[in-house]
Amino acid sequence: GGEDGTIQELLDTLRIPYGGSGPQASALAFNKLNAKRQFERAGIPTPSYEVLSRETYQHALDHLALPVFLKPLSEGSSIDVHFVEHRRDLMTILERAFDSYESLLVEKAIVGKEVTVGILGDEPLPVIELRPREPFYNFRAKYTLGMTEYLIPAPLAPRVAERVQAVALAAHQTLGLRDVSRVDIMLNKDDQPFVLEANSIPGMTETSLL
């Protein structure tokens, strides 16, 4: 609640000041497809993807190169995100997901290190590497104490860390975010960064990353 720009629009209408991004930037960041399109236009690397619907997904099954992530277009906290490695699981997960969502984002899985960068104002914070005990950084890994190891600063070569911070800041600015955000990034085996998403309202729990 509050991440899609609705509350920000209400606050603007009522002329109540608030911290964080405005309604348009919030809505843009919250929709993974629109955000990825914006990254592509700006030349920011992001994993390859396509959008599947109940009507079209069966035609895509033959050419999808696994592993992939299946994601709702607008959702947070890794809710209903699935990591799919085996084709035998793909149909079952898709059919179940389409009971709840009209469309899904299918994203190429980048195999490598998972990192994140907090942004305060226009300053990228130190890179954090995540080492979850789950197959990926899912809801359980995010909110259960002891399920993820956090390395701060991430054990990266200085040039790699600087590149990751620069890409994170570019993603933040490209979406028009302000004050604060957190940008999630995957590094491939060559330490090339790929932006997954930018969170306009980063978590503020005991296990959160900002």
Side-chain angles (χ1 to χ4, degrees):
E3 285 192 79
D4 64 357
T6 304
I7 291 177
Q8 291 84 350
E9 187 173 17
L10 176 63
L11 292 172
D12 281 350
T13 301
L14 298 175
R15 299 183 180 179
I16 297 174
Y18 56 93
S21 299
Q24 290 183 329
S26 298
L28 180 57
F30 193 59
N31 185 291
K32 294 180 177 63
L33 175 60
N34 292 340
K36 285 176 76 72
R37 287 173 173 167
Q38 198 75 5
F39 295 151
E40 288 179 321
R41 282 192 283 268
I44 295 170
T46 188
S48 59
Y49 66 95
E50 61 181 292
V51 177
L52 300 184
S53 68
R54 182 181 292 277
E55 291 74 28
T56 64
Y57 79 95
Q58 292 190 357
H59 301 291
L61 293 179
D62 292 334
H63 72 258
L64 281 180
L66 301 179
V68 296
F69 281 97
L70 302 177
K71 302 178 177 182
L73 298 187
S74 297
E75 193 57 89
S77 295
S78 295
I79 293 171
D80 288 336
V81 172
H82 297 276
F83 176 58
V84 184
E85 294 182 276
H86 305 293
R87 197 162 297 277
R88 65 176 179 271
D89 301 325
L90 190 58
M91 179 74 79
T92 302
I93 293 172
L94 282 169
E95 289 180 346
R96 191 179 302 143
F98 284 128
D99 288 338
S100 303
Y101 303 99
E102 291 184 4
S103 300
L104 292 172
L105 186 74
V106 182
E107 188 177 73
K108 178 183 177 182
I110 304 296
V111 178
K113 296 176 182 176
E114 190 165 1
V115 298
T116 194
V117 178
I119 308 289
L120 284 179
D122 282 318
E123 178 184 355
L125 300 179
V127 182
I128 304 172
E129 182 181 347
L130 318 174
R131 294 184 181 176
R133 291 177 170 82
E134 295 282 289
F136 69 99
Y137 192 51
N138 58 21
F139 186 90
R140 186 163 177 253
K142 288 181 177 181
Y143 297 112
T144 306
L145 283 172
M147 288 301 297
T148 299
E149 181 183 6
Y150 307 101
L151 285 72
I152 313 169
L156 302 172
R159 61 173 181 79
V160 175
E162 290 172 6
R163 171 65 175 155
V164 169
Q165 288 176 305
V167 167
L169 182 59
H172 171 93
Q173 294 173 333
T174 293
L175 298 180
L177 302 178
R178 71 181 186 216
D179 297 339
V180 62
S181 74
R182 196 196 72 247
V183 181
D184 297 332
I185 294 171
M186 287 298 301
L187 297 176
N188 68 10
K189 58 183 177 60
D190 297 318
D191 283 337
Q192 297 297 313
F194 292 83
V195 173
L196 301 178
E197 62 179 329
N199 300 272
S200 62
I201 301 183
M204 291 290 177
T205 72
E206 187 177 359
T207 59
S208 296
L209 299 168
L210 182 69

